[in-house]
Amino acid sequence: MSNVAPIQHNGPVAEQASAGTARVARIRREADGVVGIVLTDSAGGRLPDWAPGAHIDLVLPGGTTRQYSLCGDRWDAHSYRVAVLREPSSRGGSAYVHDSLREGDLVGIGGPRNNFALVPAPRYLFVAGGIGITPLLPMIAQADLIGADWNLLYGGRTRNSMAFLDELGRHGERVRVEPQDETGLLDLPGFLGRPREDTRIYACGPAPLLDALDAAAIDWPARSVRTERFVARERAGGGGDTSFELTFARSGRTIVVGRHETTLEAITAAGADVLSSCRQGTCGTCETTVLEGRPDHRDSVLDDDDRQAGDCMLPCVSRAATGDGLVLDL
């Protein structure tokens, strides 16, 4: 992940990639291994508006950035809330947040961006696995606000590891909480029921859960299911990459993207400015307009309509689909 700056306790934050600077107003334990963080503008001003499904970049030490879903009140213009799971294999992100971040610290933030927007529907089914509950909380609040019918199926390893249970408790029977050590794996076919045209399914969680959901919803109408993944979907097939020509439309310059480098690496090496973060095709930060050519989409962000249109791509993971190359709006 690139274009980041280290956190400094109660000091200035470099402006390398952050769109702003926020102050940690509150840190609270939300479950075993999960802390909730409330952020406010460092100057006391208004924060950018956002909608359910949005995430922000949190600038962390060591030259890394992490993305976290906004899970607070979207109508509160002066604070953001995120929740961070301690990852056993943390490369410094979650471990720093849990062990070193303190109330009053200044951090860089970027965004918000939304690749998981809630589309209007009369009925919703929400499925969460573990920390995947975070982007769904504002969606549930929005569904309540507009009077839509909805239900949530929420799974986790244990009840103590599942965040925001008290918050969800006020919704009564709309929420099914099923820890794996009590009930086993989630009964996705039973929760989904028969396919319905009026229903949209939103899910976030680990890959095995989302893969199982895709299988359970195979007979549902197209575009019924929207998912957000923690890590990029594994690429099918094992074919090698080939070199291709990439043209910058604004300058007319053409470069070659080598078989052993990503499109984003080649763009950056050529001196073009593309904001990036995750470099795994999961955050959408580097989305770039495609003017000519057909992309080979390898991200976990774009939906089927975006892929079919072929007018944008995530160069951190995607390449040209043919030997004809690409022309990008750069």
Side-chain angles (χ1 to χ4, degrees), residues 274-306:
V274 176
L275 184 64
S276 65
S277 184
C278 75
R279 299 200 172 215
Q280 297 178 3
T282 60
C283 75
T285 304
C286 66
E287 183 177 326
T288 303
T289 299
V290 178
L291 299 177
E292 295 181 27
R294 187 163 60 91
D296 175 12
H297 295 292
R298 304 180 183 182
D299 63 274
S300 299
V301 172
L302 299 179
D303 61 24
D304 291 341
D305 290 339
D306 291 330

Side-chain angles (χ1 to χ4, degrees), residues 240-245 256-261 319-320 322-325:
D241 294 324
T242 59
S243 300
F244 65 95
E245 289 190 347
V256 174
V257 180
R259 59 178 301 186
H260 297 301
E261 64 180 339
R319 305 176 67 84
T322 68
D324 296 335

Side-chain angles (χ1 to χ4, degrees), residues 59-70:
V59 181
L60 297 171
T64 60
T65 295
R66 296 292 184 265
Q67 292 77 42
Y68 297 108
S69 297
L70 290 167

Side-chain angles (χ1 to χ4, degrees), residues 183-321:
T183 62
L185 296 177
L186 296 179
D187 177 14
L188 295 171
F191 177 68
L192 297 182
R194 61 178 179 82
R196 291 176 52 163
E197 292 281 352
D198 66 344
T199 301
R200 294 294 179 266
I201 303 165
Y202 281 80
C204 183
L209 171 64
L210 301 185
D211 292 341
L213 177 64
D214 286 341
I218 191 67
D219 293 328
W220 280 69
R223 294 183 291 277
S224 292
V225 180
R226 289 292 309 274
T227 61
E228 185 168 67
R229 291 177 176 264
F230 299 150
V231 296
R233 190 192 300 266
E234 288 189 15
R235 179 186 172 196
D241 294 324
T242 59
S243 300
F244 65 95
E245 289 190 347
L246 176 68
T247 299
F248 301 119
R250 299 177 196 175
S251 66
R253 181 183 178 188
T254 297
I255 63 172
V256 174
V257 180
R259 59 178 301 186
H260 297 301
E261 64 180 339
T262 68
T263 307
L264 180 62
E265 288 170 344
I267 291 171
T268 303
D273 184 20
V274 176
L275 184 64
S276 65
S277 184
C278 75
R279 299 200 172 215
Q280 297 178 3
T282 60
C283 75
T285 304
C286 66
E287 183 177 326
T288 303
T289 299
V290 178
L291 299 177
E292 295 181 27
R294 187 163 60 91
D296 175 12
H297 295 292
R298 304 180 183 182
D299 63 274
S300 299
V301 172
L302 299 179
D303 61 24
D304 291 341
D305 290 339
D306 291 330
R307 293 168 187 267
Q308 184 66 30
D311 57 3
C312 64
M313 67 180 289
L314 272 63
C316 66
V317 292
S318 298
R319 305 176 67 84

Side-chain angles (χ1 to χ4, degrees), residues 64-189:
T64 60
T65 295
R66 296 292 184 265
Q67 292 77 42
Y68 297 108
S69 297
L70 290 167
C71 60
D73 180 3
R74 65 172 295 202
W75 304 110
D76 180 354
H78 293 87
S79 71
Y80 288 156
R81 184 179 70 169
V82 299
V84 181
L85 170 70
R86 178 187 285 277
E87 298 281 359
S89 58
S90 171
R91 294 170 293 160
S94 70
Y96 181 88
V97 169
H98 279 258
D99 297 336
S100 302
L101 195 65
R102 298 290 182 268
E103 293 181 357
D105 285 357
L106 297 180
V107 296
I109 58 172
R113 285 183 296 275
N114 199 339
N115 304 306
F116 194 41
L118 185 71
V119 299
R123 181 174 181 263
Y124 299 99
L125 294 177
F126 299 112
V127 179
I131 198 64
I133 188 63
T134 51
L136 303 185
L137 291 175
M139 294 186 181
I140 289 170
Q142 181 71 9
D144 255 359
L145 181 66
I146 65 176
D149 186 18
W150 66 269
N151 291 95
L152 166 69
L153 178 62
Y154 182 16
R157 292 180 292 103
T158 66
R159 191 173 296 271
N160 289 339
S161 71
M162 299 169 68
F164 305 113
L165 291 182
D166 289 345
E167 217 168 284
L168 291 166
R170 66 184 180 86
H171 296 295
E173 294 183 355
R174 286 185 181 270
V175 176
R176 286 171 50 180
V177 176
E178 299 189 359
Q180 187 173 349
D181 65 338
E182 298 178 18
T183 62
L185 296 177
L186 296 179
D187 177 14
L188 295 171

